[in-house]
Amino acid sequence: MSTTKKPTAPDDSPFDFNLDAVEAEVELRPFRVHFGGRRWEFAHMQELNAWDVIEAAEGGDIQAVIGSMELALGDQWPEFRKVRLPQYKLMPLFEAWQKHCGLKPGESEASAGS
């Protein structure tokens, strides 16, 4: 049994679509929020890893909201979670973030590019 691997040839074959060349159509400026006496910076929704957003959405609407917020806050998430967040503030925060990202409240991130 041979353990020698064949050298990988360069990918010089034509392709139908170059996903590497796709650029965002809008400025992906972070969404900044003042809450609990400090500033929080949410990544733009369109910058979030699509696979992670899809995975969060499998848990239903509220899990999609929380999962997206966790992804957007990144390293800030553990500290953000320590601040008491009354339920009446959750959806206004999410809707303001959607608006900042060019989405209408209730519109999914996936439909933004269509």
Side-chain angles (χ1 to χ4, degrees):
M1 183 160 123
S2 173
T3 59
T4 308
K5 293 183 180 180
K6 292 182 183 178
T8 305
D11 183 6
D12 57 359
S13 299
F15 46 82
D16 296 311
F17 181 71
N18 185 356
L19 187 55
D20 290 334
V22 174
E23 297 287 331
E25 294 179 6
V26 296
E27 180 185 358
L28 302 179
R29 189 172 52 83
F31 178 59
R32 293 174 184 94
V33 174
H34 185 267
F35 173 61
R38 67 170 274 195
R39 173 189 297 258
W40 305 93
E41 192 168 285
F42 291 70
H44 194 285
M45 287 181 170
Q46 291 191 32
E47 285 223 295
L48 302 180
N49 182 331
W51 305 124
D52 293 337
V53 172
I54 291 166
E55 188 175 293
E58 290 175 352
D61 290 346
I62 204 67
Q63 186 55 46
V65 169
I66 300 303
S68 294
M69 290 173 60
E70 181 177 0
L71 292 167
L73 285 165
D75 293 343
Q76 301 169 89
W77 177 250
E79 289 301 312
F80 187 82
R81 274 288 282 120
K82 291 178 184 177
V83 182
R84 183 180 181 279
L85 177 63
Q87 287 186 40
Y88 69 87
K89 291 186 178 193
L90 177 61
M91 289 317 293
L93 169 62
F94 189 71
E95 290 167 1
W97 183 33
Q98 283 181 306
K99 184 176 178 183
H100 169 85
C101 294
L103 301 173
K104 296 175 186 158
E107 183 178 17
S108 75
E109 296 165 49
S111 67
S114 54

